[in-house]
Amino acid sequence: EVQLVESGGGLVQPGRSLRLSCAASGFTFDDYAMHWVRRTPGKGLEWVSGIDWNSGGTGYADSVKGRFTISRDNVKNSLYLQMNSLSAEDTALYYCAKANRRTVGANPFDYWGQGTLVTVSS
Amino acid sequence: QSVLTQPPSVSGAPRQRVTISCSGSSSNIRNNAVNWYQQLPGKAPKLLIYYDDLLPSGVSDRFSGSKSGTSASLAISGLQSEDEGDYYCASWDDRLNGVVFGGGTKLTVL
């Protein structure tokens, strides 16, 4: 059974940093691209970032480019999101999602985690 | 303002059929596949339709997808109360070089 378990969310002050993690199991992690998607009350689902199976390619939404960094450890079957210079607009439930192919692109997210909540507030 | 445009809400009576539209452009829907996700209250999103019109294993055949030009549609037949939730279309955008979502459509079963 595919499982994606996010962690690392919490309350953080504006301008500070946070690192999210996603522990994957139940599939061959290094065969698939992985993504972060967030849900905000006002904007619905928003793609944040994606990474190819071997970290050879990454992509970011314009709203996080230059502030967030996606990475993965195929030995630990884990996905990460380093979030710097956080602002209130980054407050959201962050989901880890598995793609059905090796590369970031027009491929569907066939499994999702339950999400980890990030709240940016002073 | 989402790159893909969906109606904010749709509604229908039990057993009726509803459709949800998703409008985009040549940089996304026309040239790339459309995927649909269902998010029920308090749950994680779930893949509902992929590559325009394919049904994942385990998803009811009451759901179907189609695409024409720069628009796509999700149809739900035989509405049931458990279908109530939010529905999102998504595609790859060649100009933005990233995944784009619609703003989401809230389905209410009357």
Side-chain angles (χ1 to χ4, degrees):
Chain A
E1 179 195 4
V2 171
Q3 284 199 322
L4 299 170
V5 181
E6 302 92 339
S7 61
L11 175 63
V12 60
Q13 293 179 326
R16 303 298 291 266
S17 299
L18 208 58
R19 189 195 195 207
L20 305 184
S21 300
C22 171
S25 62
F27 65 101
T28 305
F29 184 70
D30 57 8
D31 269 351
Y32 299 97
M34 296 294 295
H35 296 260
W36 289 99
V37 178
R38 65 188 182 185
R39 174 162 184 166
T40 58
K43 291 168 60 174
L45 294 178
E46 179 188 16
W47 176 75
V48 174
S49 181
I51 186 168
D52 287 349
W53 65 284
N54 63 352
S55 304
T58 58
Y60 297 91
D62 286 346
S63 59
V64 307
K65 206 170 287 183
R67 299 187 299 121
F68 289 11
T69 302
I70 192 171
S71 62
R72 62 189 295 162
D73 185 330
N74 286 348
V75 174
K76 294 183 177 180
N77 288 351
S78 292
L79 176 72
Y80 306 100
L81 185 68
Q82 177 66 43
M83 305 186 296
N84 299 332
S85 302
L86 286 163
S87 71
E89 287 66 43
D90 298 313
T91 294
L93 184 60
Y94 284 75
Y95 294 103
C96 164
K98 168 190 170 293
N100 74 339
R101 293 288 189 272
R102 287 190 160 195
T103 56
V104 172
N107 299 311
F109 308 150
D110 54 2
Y111 290 94
W112 298 64
Q114 291 301 309
T116 186
L117 182 62
V118 173
T119 303
V120 184
S121 174
S122 55
Chain B
Q1 194 90 355
S2 301
V3 173
L4 304 181
T5 301
Q6 297 180 232
S9 64
V10 296
S11 62
R15 296 179 298 281
Q16 278 192 335
R17 180 179 186 271
V18 296
T19 60
I20 298 173
S21 61
C22 175
S23 177
S25 68
S26 58
S27 66
N28 41 67
I29 291 179
R30 185 186 293 279
N31 290 337
N32 296 293
V34 176
N35 305 307
W36 290 90
Y37 300 92
Q38 175 194 59
Q39 188 165 30
L40 302 178
K43 301 290 189 181
K46 171 188 172 182
L47 180 63
L48 205 59
I49 295 289
Y50 68 107
Y51 297 151
D52 300 337
D53 57 9
L54 299 182
L55 205 65
S57 173
V59 172
S60 170
D61 60 5
R62 296 187 299 106
F63 298 93
S64 62
S66 63
K67 188 177 83 172
S68 177
T70 59
S71 293
S73 290
L74 172 71
I76 311 172
S77 60
L79 270 181
Q80 301 176 1
S81 58
E82 52 260 42
D83 297 331
E84 280 202 340
D86 297 319
Y87 292 80
Y88 295 89
C89 59
S91 185
W92 180 264
D93 192 288
D94 295 326
R95 183 174 55 84
L96 296 174
N97 204 31
V99 177
V100 289
F101 280 91
T105 298
K106 184 175 184 62
L107 170 64
T108 301
V109 180
L110 303 171

